[in-house]
Amino acid sequence: MLWKRRNSMFEPYTLPSGAELNNRLLLAPMTNFLSEDDGRVSDKELNYYKRRSKGLGAVITACANVNAQGKGFDGEIGVDRDELIPGLKQLADVIHGEGTKAILQIYHGGRMCPPHLVPEETPVSASAVAAEREGAVTPREMTDDEIVQTIEDFKQATRRAIEAGFDGVEIHGANTYLLQQFFSPHSNRRTDRWGGDVFERMRFPLAIVDAVEEAVQEHASSPFITGYRLSPEEPHTPGITLDDTLKFSNELAKKELDYLHISLRTFHQPSIREEGGTSVIRQIQDEVGNHIPVIGVGALMTKEDVEQALQTVPLIALGREMLIDPDWAVKVKEGQTDQIAIEMDHESQEEVMIPEPMWTRILSVPGWIPQKNK
Ligand SMILES: Cc1cc2nc3c(=O)[nH]c(=O)nc-3n(C[C@H](O)[C@H](O)[C@H](O)COP(=O)(O)O)c2cc1C
């Protein structure tokens, strides 16, 4: 029993679809800027994933755009065309080669897409409202036809992921992108069927969940993982509140989803509207955790951090720590915790396999990655 408790992060975990993870650790989705300009997987990218797939239950890839209008980053991986399937298959194979499940994050950036990456240099969103950040452009409001087509694009992206041999998809409903823009009262001011009160603003993301589930039923021959990632709150008013998110989580829990992935900067953080209160992740787990597995994430660096977090939720994603030390899970499993790096060593680029331009980009954003010789 003692042994079990100490090693619980390495216990297998069976998801509602029947898919089994070797353990409870996942690589958090992280954009790497390494794909080719046309969205094809690059060799550099394959090396990057191979280096950080070992010892985890699943790798969640960087976000992959489901259509041309949804591309949010230079060097972003695409899942918007059938011709990209062979490269995606190589990616799934590389992750499988390390004994780990492969989950493709499917995405549309909406109003956050830089104009130079999208058709007619015009980002789209639920409504023509710019994000609250310096230099943000005002997007064009999507038509009903475009919304329906985008739902279909998420379905086709799921089909491509299945054909490429992925074990699952994660619907990216977090971090201010299109699905969140429809759920948010800030970016969604629509008065048609896609806007309105908190339940009406869920219609678009829930329609995407249904479309993804249809693709799974039509194309998958073995258990296929479907997850949903969300950001629980927005700081501005109007903006998503935790109460909105608890309602939304209940609706998501009624679907055939395998997990709910809560995107937080810091795993234990309280609500931004209730300083010092119960952690957001605890409130979500208490609300829906009996109906759907919850993944937690955010500034978890050490074995103790993860063990403590696993007292709240059954599954943990690690992001930046897996950039700093891609052997994190292997070292913890083998009892070599004293050898884990928790700051990025500037000499280690080759060893940790972070090719350019990712290396320069992540190190140049102040405070993004803890750095050793800085
Ligand atoms: C370089 C980088 C790229 C990221 N790209 C994505 C992404 O493509 N999709 C996503 O949902 N989150 C993305 N995130 C957020 C992470 O998945 C994660 O939630 C966040 O880094 C907090 O976890 P951590 O403290 O373990 O890194 C990214 C984070 C980093 C550092």
Side-chain angles (χ1 to χ4, degrees), residues 28-31 62-63 105 172 175 229 263-265 297-299 318-320 362 368:
M30 283 181 288
T31 290
C63 60
Q105 190 182 56
H172 194 350
N175 302 358
R229 189 172 221 219
S263 181
L264 289 167
R265 242 171 227 275
V297 71
L318 295 174
R320 290 166 300 167
I362 61 169
W368 214 7

Side-chain angles (χ1 to χ4, degrees), residues 129 145 203 207 247 335 347 366:
V129 178
D145 283 352
R203 189 164 287 137
K247 291 190 174 87
E347 310 296 308

Side-chain angles (χ1 to χ4, degrees), residues 176 180 230-236 239-243 245 262-264 269-274 280 284:
T176 74
Q180 182 173 328
L230 61 78
S231 294
E233 294 181 280
E234 289 176 336
H236 39 68
I240 296 169
T241 64
L242 184 54
D243 188 50
T245 289
I262 309 304
S263 181
L264 289 167
Q269 73 191 52
S271 163
I272 48 184
R273 294 180 175 81
E274 195 200 349
V280 167
I284 294 174

Side-chain angles (χ1 to χ4, degrees), residues 180-195:
Q180 182 173 328
Q181 290 161 30
F182 269 82
F183 184 52
S184 166
H186 184 277
S187 34
N188 186 346
R189 313 276 172 103
R190 302 180 74 99
T191 52
D192 64 359
R193 61 179 171 146
W194 304 108

Side-chain angles (χ1 to χ4, degrees), residues 120-293:
E120 294 171 20
E121 303 208 355
T122 309
V124 298
S125 187
S127 300
V129 178
E132 301 220 353
R133 61 167 189 181
E134 190 133 335
V137 295
T138 303
R140 177 173 63 71
E141 178 174 306
M142 290 169 78
T143 65
D144 188 85
D145 283 352
E146 271 178 302
I147 293 170
V148 171
Q149 181 58 51
T150 301
I151 295 165
E152 174 64 19
D153 293 338
F154 273 88
K155 181 175 175 181
Q156 292 305 322
T158 306
R159 172 189 53 81
R160 292 184 191 108
I162 294 167
E163 289 179 11
F166 277 88
D167 304 285
V169 292
E170 176 173 284
I171 302 167
H172 194 350
N175 302 358
T176 74
Y177 300 119
L178 187 69
L179 278 70
Q180 182 173 328
Q181 290 161 30
F182 269 82
F183 184 52
S184 166
H186 184 277
S187 34
N188 186 346
R189 313 276 172 103
R190 302 180 74 99
T191 52
D192 64 359
R193 61 179 171 146
W194 304 108
D197 69 14
V198 62
F199 290 99
E200 288 161 328
R201 285 184 274 110
M202 293 175 200
R203 189 164 287 137
F204 175 67
L206 291 176
I208 287 174
V209 173
D210 289 342
V212 164
E213 284 172 2
E214 267 171 42
V216 173
Q217 271 159 23
E218 288 168 21
H219 301 284
S221 51
S222 51
F224 188 80
I225 301 164
T226 54
Y228 192 97
R229 189 172 221 219
L230 61 78
S231 294
E233 294 181 280
E234 289 176 336
H236 39 68
T237 306
I240 296 169
T241 64
L242 184 54
D243 188 50
D244 293 340
T245 289
L246 295 177
K247 291 190 174 87
F248 188 27
S249 300
N250 272 301
E251 295 307 310
L252 289 166
K254 291 177 192 162
K255 302 285 178 190
E256 304 278 304
L257 290 165
D258 281 291
Y259 66 79
L260 204 54
H261 188 174
I262 309 304
S263 181
L264 289 167
R265 242 171 227 275
T266 312
F267 180 88
H268 297 284
Q269 73 191 52
S271 163
I272 48 184
R273 294 180 175 81
E274 195 200 349
E275 228 173 275
T278 308
S279 72
V280 167
I281 193 77
R282 161 62 62 202
Q283 293 191 55
I284 294 174
Q285 171 68 25
D286 287 350
E287 184 78 15
V288 295
N290 286 337
H291 306 289
I292 184 168

Side-chain angles (χ1 to χ4, degrees), residues 284-315:
I284 294 174
Q285 171 68 25
D286 287 350
E287 184 78 15
V288 295
N290 286 337
H291 306 289
I292 184 168
V294 174
I295 302 181
V297 71
L300 302 171
M301 313 294 275
T302 66
K303 171 176 177 260
E304 290 70 29
D305 290 344
V306 171
E307 281 174 341
Q308 200 197 356
L310 281 167
Q311 305 295 316
T312 306
V313 292
L315 297 163

